[in-house]
Amino acid sequence: MKNKFLILGLFSISLLLLACTEDFLEAQTKSTLDESVIFSTPGLAKGAVDGIKVPFGETNSYRGRFLPWYGFNTDTEWYNSSETTSNDNPDLCVYDAKPNNSNMNTLNNAWAMMYLGIERANLCIRGLRTYGNPVPDSELGYLLGEALTLRAVYYADLVKAWGDVPGRFEPLTGETAYIPKTSRDVIYKQLLQDLDEAATLVPWPNGSSATTSVERINKAFVKGLRARIALVASGFQQYPDGIRRSTDPQLSVAIMYALALNECKSVIDSGTCNLEPSFETLWKKYNQEITTAGGESLWEIPFGAGRGRMLFTFAVRHANENQHQAAGNNRGGQSGPLPYVFYDYDESDTRRNVTCVPYRYGPAVNLFARQQLNPFNTWYFGKYRYEWMNRRVISTNDDGVNKLYMRYAEVVLMAAEAANELEGPSAAAPYLKMLRMRAFNPSNHAVKVESYVNSLTSKQDMFNAIVEEHKFEFTGEMERKQALIRWNLLKQNLDIAKEKLFRLREREGEYANVPTTLYTRYAADNETLIIYGLNRNEFNNPGPEYTATPWTAITDSKINAIYRLNPDTRQFWPIWQVFLDNSNGTLINDYGY
């Protein structure tokens, strides 16, 4: 069973950090106990570090703003209402966000909550260093490592969404109330240094009582996060002067990829985490809220039952309350995979039917709902399912399911990418095979794993295969956008996505053998939809008990809505106007906003 993190804040910190008054900031920090007592007492220090996590679950923070909106639209995922003009929600996804966006431009938005979490981390880090003697293999040492890592999570996401942001690595004072943006290169280097230290302080999964749950920080996650940041720091991204790699020699591809490969190898060689035996098992365990460390999940943002919107936002849609959920009407289905993604999978890839779902749960009769076929232009992520949960969601706004922030499969694929860059395709092959062996049944390994991977004999071929594997493995997890940016493939792949959607609609090119009609009937449980015609070349009606449905409808406007402005000029969101207004003139928006 998952644990609810403590809603505990020992410090009185202003909600809007950039709008604090100088007198407040220079006053002695208020706390229920003196810092020297808090940070020298493990139980009290743990309460303070738990307080760093509280901003994740605040209403307009990760819970209701950052997680539901960051990561769309890509060549695999899109906001299902991207073409609507009735509100400005699509702006956040179609690369046309504006500083006054009505969903984001509030004082308690994710930007403020991230900095609130950072300030709490800064206070804990200072307190533990000053009063705690945080050495390795001690409880206070673990708490320092956890605080450093949680701060890195906040900063990694700030930079992912906004590019250059103010860098604050000490508690606020009157002199630091208003500071301009810091080069993200400076922030990357600080995070890499912090995580290097944290890795010496926190145990491997199941190495201590704290690391038996993936709701607490462990060494495998610290190293995986450090590898992810290293690849991002050396990758392409939009700077105020254009799209390029960093010019900082410490963030070169050679140095950062070597760091990433070493960290990934360390995690793999530790044997402390593993791929789940099947892709479906992985996602069933996730929805069942099994948080035991040592499997595929490395760390999850912990939400209580009344917090978090992962299924509320991303699950297979439910029209109303039924046998699987009591959360209310139209739960799930805000976004989904692009229609062609299903057809890009190999038909024997076991990830396909878990990831891409073409049905919803229709209106319930006596609280019983049946699956119903969606329109061709609307698919859902099958990784998130109320019907796989062990409990019945009753909250009308939340589901309490954690955000799976990093899993072992990403470490394996990063190892493949880094090994290919530094040592060539033969060094990357074993890691790519690890993922594909899980994706395909043993009877297919000779062809789909061994022959396929062994045929990738050039560095470019291996890289292209890794980009594709990333799509098949991570669609629906909102990891794709940052990956496309650092590979310098964002607009290029979005344009390819448009072309694919047009060809799929017309059943041309690689989609010429995709049927235009689906045939459906219900299984014996009278709930599960049996669908014929989803696979290529399934053209003939399988029997009179099936109902035929045309399967082609998708408009030009829907396809073109994948982006509104050039994605390569809008890789980051603007800083919201309320934070610009309260920055005393120190913050500005770049990138033409």
Side-chain angles (χ1 to χ4, degrees):
M1 290 294 292
K2 61 180 289 193
N3 296 315
K4 300 179 179 67
F5 65 80
L6 294 175
I7 307 300
L8 177 63
L10 296 179
F11 305 106
S12 176
I13 303 171
S14 170
L15 182 65
L16 179 58
L17 299 174
L18 295 179
C20 295
T21 65
E22 188 168 319
D23 287 343
F24 174 84
L25 289 166
E26 292 185 335
Q28 181 179 359
T29 302
K30 297 178 181 179
S31 64
T32 56
L33 292 170
D34 185 83
E35 282 190 49
S36 64
V37 176
I38 294 171
F39 293 110
S40 62
T41 308
L44 296 175
K46 180 181 181 300
V49 172
D50 282 341
I52 301 170
K53 306 172 194 174
V54 173
F56 288 126
E58 297 292 356
T59 298
N60 291 331
S61 183
Y62 279 73
R63 164 195 173 269
R65 293 296 181 268
F66 185 70
L67 294 178
W69 292 107
Y70 181 82
F72 307 110
N73 290 357
T74 73
D75 61 348
T76 67
E77 306 137 331
W78 63 0
Y79 177 47
N80 275 328
S81 299
S82 289
E83 62 181 329
T84 186
T85 57
S86 60
N87 56 56
D88 57 5
N89 290 344
D91 294 2
L92 299 168
C93 309
V94 300
Y95 302 92
D96 193 19
K98 301 171 182 64
N100 63 351
N101 183 276
S102 61
N103 219 358
M104 295 293 188
N105 190 35
T106 60
L107 289 174
N108 63 347
N109 195 261
W111 171 283
M113 293 297 100
M114 289 174 173
Y115 275 108
L116 177 58
I118 287 167
E119 178 66 5
R120 291 182 174 184
N122 287 340
L123 288 163
C124 289
I125 291 165
R126 181 185 68 182
L128 287 163
R129 290 196 192 282
T130 304
Y131 304 109
N133 188 28
V135 296
D137 299 319
S138 70
E139 189 169 350
L140 291 175
Y142 172 81
L143 291 171
L144 175 59
E146 188 170 34
L148 287 167
T149 305
L150 292 170
R151 183 173 70 178
V153 168
Y154 281 119
Y155 267 122
D157 287 339
L158 274 165
V159 173
K160 179 168 70 173
W162 286 281
D164 295 335
V165 298
R168 301 177 181 278
F169 293 94
E170 296 290 340
L172 279 164
T173 67
E175 289 73 27
T176 61
Y178 304 104
I179 60 173
K181 291 189 285 188
T182 304
S183 166
R184 75 198 71 164
D185 293 352
V186 173
I187 295 174
Y188 287 142
K189 289 191 288 185
Q190 183 66 53
L191 301 186
L192 293 171
Q193 177 181 314
D194 289 347
L195 292 170
D196 191 32
E197 179 183 5
T200 69
L201 296 171
V202 303
W204 291 104
N206 293 308
S208 71
S209 59
T211 61
T212 59
S213 168
V214 294
E215 293 184 331
R216 300 291 301 278
I217 300 299
N218 62 64
K219 194 189 299 286
F221 171 64
V222 172
K223 287 177 170 287
L225 181 60
R226 192 165 185 250
R228 179 195 283 178
I229 291 172
L231 294 181
V232 171
S234 64
F236 290 93
Q237 53 201 287
Q238 187 181 7
Y239 288 86
D241 61 352
I243 294 175
R244 57 175 173 81
R245 295 186 188 272
S246 171
T247 57
D248 189 320
Q250 296 180 54
L251 300 178
S252 68
V253 169
I255 293 174
M256 290 293 97
Y257 272 64
L259 185 158
L261 182 57
N262 287 338
E263 294 291 29
C264 291
K265 281 184 174 180
S266 178
V267 174
I268 293 167
D269 292 345
S270 75
T272 60
C273 37
N274 300 280
L275 296 176
E276 294 294 342
S278 77
F279 203 64
E280 183 172 300
T281 297
L282 161 67
W283 290 102
K284 282 187 173 179
K285 290 176 71 172
Y286 167 74
N287 287 275
Q288 291 166 359
E289 302 174 293
I290 297 172
T291 58
T292 305
E296 187 157 349
S297 175
L298 298 187
W299 182 68
E300 299 176 9
I301 296 178
F303 292 121
R307 298 276 91 182
R309 291 185 167 188
M310 293 306 296
L311 271 61
F312 177 97
T313 303
F314 300 118
V316 175
R317 172 154 288 193
H318 288 246
N320 50 24
E321 181 181 355
N322 57 33
Q323 68 271 32
H324 297 299
Q325 60 86 24
N329 299 336
N330 294 322
R331 295 297 180 254
Q334 178 173 295
S335 54
L338 298 176
Y340 72 77
V341 172
F342 178 88
Y343 297 101
D344 282 3
Y345 277 98
D346 188 293
E347 287 182 10
S348 58
D349 191 329
T350 61
R351 296 172 294 193
R352 183 189 71 165
N353 292 352
V354 173
T355 301
C356 303
V357 170
Y359 60 78
R360 64 192 180 279
Y361 278 80
V365 177
N366 296 324
L367 289 181
F368 180 80
R370 302 197 297 176
Q371 296 172 0
Q372 293 183 349
L373 195 64
N374 279 339
F376 175 67
N377 65 5
T378 304
W379 292 67
Y380 299 133
F381 300 127
K383 294 177 175 179
Y384 312 95
R385 308 194 196 200
Y386 287 102
E387 50 273 29
W388 281 352
M389 294 185 71
N390 284 334
R391 62 180 172 86
R392 186 172 174 80
V393 174
I394 58 175
S395 172
T396 57
N397 288 314
D398 297 84
D399 51 71
V401 176
N402 290 347
K403 162 63 179 175
L404 205 171
Y405 194 87
M406 178 176 280
R407 55 188 178 93
Y408 182 61
E410 183 179 351
V411 171
V412 174
L413 198 59
M414 288 191 295
E417 182 181 349
N420 182 56
E421 176 65 31
L422 298 173
E423 303 167 11
S426 62
Y431 303 114
L432 186 56
K433 287 180 180 180
M434 285 174 65
L435 287 186
R436 292 184 67 85
M437 286 181 71
R438 197 261 298 274
F440 294 91
N441 292 324
S443 61
N444 292 315
H445 284 181
V447 174
K448 304 300 184 182
V449 180
E450 296 297 332
S451 296
Y452 169 77
V453 176
N454 291 342
S455 71
L456 304 170
T457 56
S458 75
K459 187 174 176 180
Q460 187 62 49
D461 286 346
M462 177 60 76
F463 173 76
N464 293 341
I466 288 169
V467 171
E468 283 294 281
E469 202 69 27
H470 188 281
K471 172 174 70 176
F472 300 138
E473 186 71 29
F474 295 108
T475 290
E477 298 176 56
M478 281 49 76
E479 299 291 343
R480 188 69 169 175
K481 181 177 178 179
Q482 186 176 53
L484 291 176
I485 288 171
R486 69 178 180 84
W487 292 329
N488 202 21
L489 292 176
L490 182 62
K491 184 177 185 298
Q492 176 181 318
N493 276 30
L494 283 171
D495 286 336
I496 292 172
K498 283 187 177 184
E499 295 165 3
K500 283 186 169 186
L501 288 170
F502 281 116
R503 291 199 299 273
L504 175 59
R505 184 183 65 184
E506 303 304 322
R507 300 308 197 265
E508 296 175 347
E510 69 268 46
Y511 305 113
N513 61 350
V514 172
T516 58
T517 302
L518 296 188
Y519 301 91
T520 60
R521 66 177 178 86
Y522 286 99
D525 62 8
N526 199 35
E527 174 184 335
T528 305
L529 200 61
I530 296 175
I531 306 173
Y532 181 83
L534 279 175
N535 291 326
R536 296 169 185 267
N537 298 309
E538 291 183 344
F539 292 111
N540 299 321
N541 189 335
E545 70 274 25
Y546 285 82
T547 300
T549 302
W551 188 245
T552 58
I554 184 170
T555 62
D556 287 5
S557 62
K558 176 79 170 181
I559 294 172
N560 288 321
I562 195 170
Y563 68 79
R564 192 179 300 155
L565 299 180
N566 182 347
D568 281 343
T569 67
R570 290 291 187 273
Q571 291 186 354
F572 303 108
W573 282 336
I575 301 172
W576 313 121
Q577 191 64 45
V578 67
F579 303 114
L580 298 177
D581 294 343
N582 284 284
S583 71
N584 203 27
T586 59
L587 293 181
I588 60 170
N589 271 319
D590 296 297
Y591 322 118
Y593 284 111

